[in-house]
Amino acid sequence: MSKKLILFIGAPGSGKTTDGRNIAEKHSNITHYSTGELLKAESEKETKLGKIEKAFISRGDLVPTDIVIDTIVEAIRNAPTDIILLDGFPRKEKQMKFFGDCLHNVEGIELNAVIEIQVSEDTGRQRFLENGGSNEIFDAEMKIYKSTINEIEEFYKQNDLITIIDGERDSSIVINELDDFLQQKVALL
């Protein structure tokens, strides 16, 4: 049986990680991964991949796309459930295309949906800062998001995979809408 993958994307501070965690907590048949947390956890391991990632992270460099994708695919394959929510990926057009090619050539993983949680820049900044982030990091992440989101949206629209959710609302409303969508899209129950 194929693993069903759902990507949560959005601006920094959109709530994609929190929403993914909350959905997974409601359903025992869903595993949630945050790309940043996956990379951090892998870099702390003494595996070959972990050592490579640690070298990039310790220098403050971005981990190369192929290494990020290898980490994600490995996590999905080893997930304890058949439905996986992954947030924070792709962040760049190159990642999206490379990941699409990779999934096309990997058996057992099926991309079912991409959910973009949209918030205004002001809302994103406020939430990001409330969670301990800095203006500098927010600005850097927002710059990347703005420079790539149109291409990412267009690519997933062409493949009839993207759904946009209004993340400005109360988190319980957003979670319920996400839950309803996933019930229909991947038949969670």
Side-chain angles (χ1 to χ4, degrees):
M1 180 175 200
S2 286
K3 301 271 187 175
K4 296 179 180 183
L5 177 62
I6 296 98
L7 302 178
F8 277 21
I9 62 173
S14 62
K16 57 193 174 290
T17 300
T18 302
D19 295 340
R21 276 192 197 120
N22 286 333
I23 292 290
E25 286 173 6
K26 287 178 74 172
H27 301 279
S28 61
N29 61 336
I30 295 179
T31 299
H32 167 258
Y33 293 125
S34 170
T35 304
E37 291 169 5
L38 275 178
L39 292 174
K40 183 179 176 190
E42 189 64 33
S43 73
E44 291 171 355
K45 295 178 185 174
E46 289 298 311
T47 63
K48 181 180 176 185
L49 196 57
K51 289 177 184 176
I52 293 169
E53 288 175 4
K54 191 173 194 170
F56 281 96
I57 293 168
S58 67
R59 292 191 309 258
D61 295 335
L62 289 176
V63 178
T65 297
D66 57 335
I67 295 173
V68 173
I69 290 173
D70 286 349
T71 302
I72 289 169
V73 169
E74 190 66 21
I76 293 168
R77 283 184 172 149
N78 294 318
T81 63
D82 289 332
I83 302 171
I84 295 93
L85 303 180
L86 175 69
D87 77 68
F89 188 85
R91 292 181 62 193
K92 298 184 282 189
E93 187 178 7
K94 177 184 173 186
Q95 288 179 336
M96 172 190 65
K97 290 179 177 175
F98 194 70
F99 190 54
D101 291 344
C102 178
L103 289 181
H104 185 72
N105 294 313
V106 171
E107 282 191 44
I109 301 174
E110 176 187 342
L111 179 59
N112 280 78
V114 178
I115 300 172
E116 181 184 354
I117 301 169
Q118 285 188 341
V119 295
S120 68
E121 187 169 342
D122 289 342
T123 298
R125 182 180 303 277
Q126 179 183 347
R127 290 178 182 171
F128 193 83
L129 296 176
E130 286 171 359
N131 287 322
S134 69
N135 275 307
E136 294 77 23
I137 293 173
F138 177 84
D139 290 341
E141 290 188 15
M142 183 56 88
K143 183 178 178 183
I144 293 168
Y145 172 77
K146 284 181 172 180
S147 71
T148 60
I149 192 58
N150 290 335
E151 289 84 7
I152 291 171
E153 286 175 344
E154 189 57 37
F155 178 82
Y156 288 126
K157 277 181 191 170
Q158 289 175 2
N159 292 286
D160 197 28
L161 287 168
I162 195 163
T163 297
I164 296 173
I165 302 283
D166 177 5
E168 293 281 337
R169 300 166 297 164
D170 183 78
S171 65
S172 63
I173 295 170
V174 173
I175 295 294
N176 285 337
E177 186 173 337
L178 288 167
D179 200 45
D180 289 346
F181 172 79
L182 291 171
Q183 296 276 359
Q184 296 170 13
K185 186 70 177 179
V186 293
L188 297 181
L189 299 176

PDB file of all heavy atoms in Angstrom, residues 36-49:
ATOM      1  N   GLY A  36      12.058  21.189   8.798  1.00  0.00           N
ATOM      2  CA  GLY A  36      13.147  21.705   9.635  1.00  0.00           C
ATOM      3  C   GLY A  36      13.494  20.765  10.773  1.00  0.00           C
ATOM      4  O   GLY A  36      14.676  20.526  11.071  1.00  0.00           O
ATOM      5  N   GLU A  37      12.477  20.209  11.418  1.00  0.00           N
ATOM      6  CA  GLU A  37      12.712  19.281  12.527  1.00  0.00           C
ATOM      7  C   GLU A  37      13.326  17.971  12.034  1.00  0.00           C
ATOM      8  O   GLU A  37      14.163  17.378  12.712  1.00  0.00           O
ATOM      9  CB  GLU A  37      11.407  19.030  13.278  1.00  0.00           C
ATOM     10  CG  GLU A  37      10.926  20.259  14.048  1.00  0.00           C
ATOM     11  CD  GLU A  37       9.512  20.131  14.586  1.00  0.00           C
ATOM     12  OE1 GLU A  37       8.900  19.048  14.466  1.00  0.00           O
ATOM     13  OE2 GLU A  37       9.023  21.136  15.136  1.00  0.00           O
ATOM     14  N   LEU A  38      12.903  17.511  10.841  1.00  0.00           N
ATOM     15  CA  LEU A  38      13.490  16.294  10.272  1.00  0.00           C
ATOM     16  C   LEU A  38      14.989  16.478  10.025  1.00  0.00           C
ATOM     17  O   LEU A  38      15.792  15.613  10.354  1.00  0.00           O
ATOM     18  CB  LEU A  38      12.826  15.946   8.931  1.00  0.00           C
ATOM     19  CG  LEU A  38      11.557  15.141   8.929  1.00  0.00           C
ATOM     20  CD1 LEU A  38      11.055  14.968   7.498  1.00  0.00           C
ATOM     21  CD2 LEU A  38      11.747  13.792   9.581  1.00  0.00           C
ATOM     22  N   LEU A  39      15.335  17.616   9.438  1.00  0.00           N
ATOM     23  CA  LEU A  39      16.752  17.886   9.145  1.00  0.00           C
ATOM     24  C   LEU A  39      17.565  18.002  10.421  1.00  0.00           C
ATOM     25  O   LEU A  39      18.673  17.469  10.514  1.00  0.00           O
ATOM     26  CB  LEU A  39      16.887  19.151   8.302  1.00  0.00           C
ATOM     27  CG  LEU A  39      16.341  19.067   6.889  1.00  0.00           C
ATOM     28  CD1 LEU A  39      16.405  20.425   6.205  1.00  0.00           C
ATOM     29  CD2 LEU A  39      17.085  18.027   6.070  1.00  0.00           C
ATOM     30  N   LYS A  40      17.004  18.681  11.397  1.00  0.00           N
ATOM     31  CA  LYS A  40      17.713  18.844  12.678  1.00  0.00           C
ATOM     32  C   LYS A  40      17.923  17.485  13.347  1.00  0.00           C
ATOM     33  O   LYS A  40      19.020  17.167  13.811  1.00  0.00           O
ATOM     34  CB  LYS A  40      16.929  19.774  13.598  1.00  0.00           C
ATOM     35  CG  LYS A  40      17.631  20.055  14.902  1.00  0.00           C
ATOM     36  CD  LYS A  40      16.821  21.002  15.776  1.00  0.00           C
ATOM     37  CE  LYS A  40      17.525  21.179  17.108  1.00  0.00           C
ATOM     38  NZ  LYS A  40      16.694  21.876  18.067  1.00  0.00           N
ATOM     39  N   ALA A  41      16.874  16.671  13.384  1.00  0.00           N
ATOM     40  CA  ALA A  41      16.969  15.349  14.020  1.00  0.00           C
ATOM     41  C   ALA A  41      17.979  14.472  13.294  1.00  0.00           C
ATOM     42  O   ALA A  41      18.775  13.775  13.923  1.00  0.00           O
ATOM     43  CB  ALA A  41      15.598  14.676  14.053  1.00  0.00           C
ATOM     44  N   GLU A  42      17.948  14.506  11.970  1.00  0.00           N
ATOM     45  CA  GLU A  42      18.879  13.672  11.191  1.00  0.00           C
ATOM     46  C   GLU A  42      20.318  14.141  11.393  1.00  0.00           C
ATOM     47  O   GLU A  42      21.230  13.329  11.495  1.00  0.00           O
ATOM     48  CB  GLU A  42      18.507  13.712   9.704  1.00  0.00           C
ATOM     49  CG  GLU A  42      19.253  12.723   8.853  1.00  0.00           C
ATOM     50  CD  GLU A  42      18.964  11.268   9.179  1.00  0.00           C
ATOM     51  OE1 GLU A  42      17.833  10.943   9.575  1.00  0.00           O
ATOM     52  OE2 GLU A  42      19.891  10.456   9.051  1.00  0.00           O
ATOM     53  N   SER A  43      20.504  15.470  11.483  1.00  0.00           N
ATOM     54  CA  SER A  43      21.868  15.986  11.655  1.00  0.00           C
ATOM     55  C   SER A  43      22.449  15.613  13.016  1.00  0.00           C
ATOM     56  O   SER A  43      23.665  15.565  13.181  1.00  0.00           O
ATOM     57  CB  SER A  43      21.906  17.505  11.456  1.00  0.00           C
ATOM     58  OG  SER A  43      21.329  18.170  12.551  1.00  0.00           O
ATOM     59  N   GLU A  44      21.579  15.336  13.974  1.00  0.00           N
ATOM     60  CA  GLU A  44      22.043  14.942  15.314  1.00  0.00           C
ATOM     61  C   GLU A  44      22.418  13.463  15.372  1.00  0.00           C
ATOM     62  O   GLU A  44      23.078  13.024  16.301  1.00  0.00           O
ATOM     63  CB  GLU A  44      20.970  15.266  16.356  1.00  0.00           C
ATOM     64  CG  GLU A  44      20.794  16.767  16.548  1.00  0.00           C
ATOM     65  CD  GLU A  44      19.604  17.144  17.408  1.00  0.00           C
ATOM     66  OE1 GLU A  44      18.821  16.247  17.801  1.00  0.00           O
ATOM     67  OE2 GLU A  44      19.443  18.342  17.686  1.00  0.00           O
ATOM     68  N   LYS A  45      22.005  12.701  14.359  1.00  0.00           N
ATOM     69  CA  LYS A  45      22.355  11.282  14.313  1.00  0.00           C
ATOM     70  C   LYS A  45      23.756  11.135  13.733  1.00  0.00           C
ATOM     71  O   LYS A  45      24.244  11.990  13.016  1.00  0.00           O
ATOM     72  CB  LYS A  45      21.360  10.500  13.439  1.00  0.00           C
ATOM     73  CG  LYS A  45      19.955  10.480  13.990  1.00  0.00           C
ATOM     74  CD  LYS A  45      19.054   9.737  13.032  1.00  0.00           C
ATOM     75  CE  LYS A  45      17.611   9.788  13.462  1.00  0.00           C
ATOM     76  NZ  LYS A  45      16.726   9.188  12.457  1.00  0.00           N
ATOM     77  N   GLU A  46      24.373  10.040  14.005  1.00  0.00           N
ATOM     78  CA  GLU A  46      25.717   9.785  13.484  1.00  0.00           C
ATOM     79  C   GLU A  46      25.691   8.982  12.193  1.00  0.00           C
ATOM     80  O   GLU A  46      26.639   8.289  11.872  1.00  0.00           O
ATOM     81  CB  GLU A  46      26.565   9.079  14.552  1.00  0.00           C
ATOM     82  CG  GLU A  46      26.949   9.986  15.705  1.00  0.00           C
ATOM     83  CD  GLU A  46      27.803  11.181  15.262  1.00  0.00           C
ATOM     84  OE1 GLU A  46      28.791  10.993  14.539  1.00  0.00           O
ATOM     85  OE2 GLU A  46      27.443  12.325  15.632  1.00  0.00           O
ATOM     86  N   THR A  47      24.581   9.089  11.445  1.00  0.00           N
ATOM     87  CA  THR A  47      24.503   8.416  10.153  1.00  0.00           C
ATOM     88  C   THR A  47      25.307   9.212   9.128  1.00  0.00           C
ATOM     89  O   THR A  47      25.650  10.377   9.357  1.00  0.00           O
ATOM     90  CB  THR A  47      23.043   8.326   9.666  1.00  0.00           C
ATOM     91  OG1 THR A  47      22.549   9.668   9.478  1.00  0.00           O
ATOM     92  CG2 THR A  47      22.153   7.601  10.657  1.00  0.00           C
ATOM     93  N   LYS A  48      25.555   8.606   7.995  1.00  0.00           N
ATOM     94  CA  LYS A  48      26.287   9.291   6.922  1.00  0.00           C
ATOM     95  C   LYS A  48      25.537  10.565   6.512  1.00  0.00           C
ATOM     96  O   LYS A  48      26.130  11.633   6.396  1.00  0.00           O
ATOM     97  CB  LYS A  48      26.455   8.347   5.729  1.00  0.00           C
ATOM     98  CG  LYS A  48      27.204   8.944   4.577  1.00  0.00           C
ATOM     99  CD  LYS A  48      27.337   7.933   3.433  1.00  0.00           C
ATOM    100  CE  LYS A  48      28.017   8.576   2.238  1.00  0.00           C
ATOM    101  NZ  LYS A  48      28.054   7.689   1.083  1.00  0.00           N
ATOM    102  N   LEU A  49      24.223  10.432   6.297  1.00  0.00           N
ATOM    103  CA  LEU A  49      23.402  11.571   5.915  1.00  0.00           C
ATOM    104  C   LEU A  49      23.389  12.630   7.017  1.00  0.00           C
ATOM    105  O   LEU A  49      23.513  13.823   6.749  1.00  0.00           O
ATOM    106  CB  LEU A  49      21.976  11.092   5.606  1.00  0.00           C
ATOM    107  CG  LEU A  49      21.060  12.021   4.843  1.00  0.00           C
ATOM    108  CD1 LEU A  49      21.655  12.427   3.507  1.00  0.00           C
ATOM    109  CD2 LEU A  49      19.707  11.350   4.622  1.00  0.00           C
TER     110      LEU A  49
END
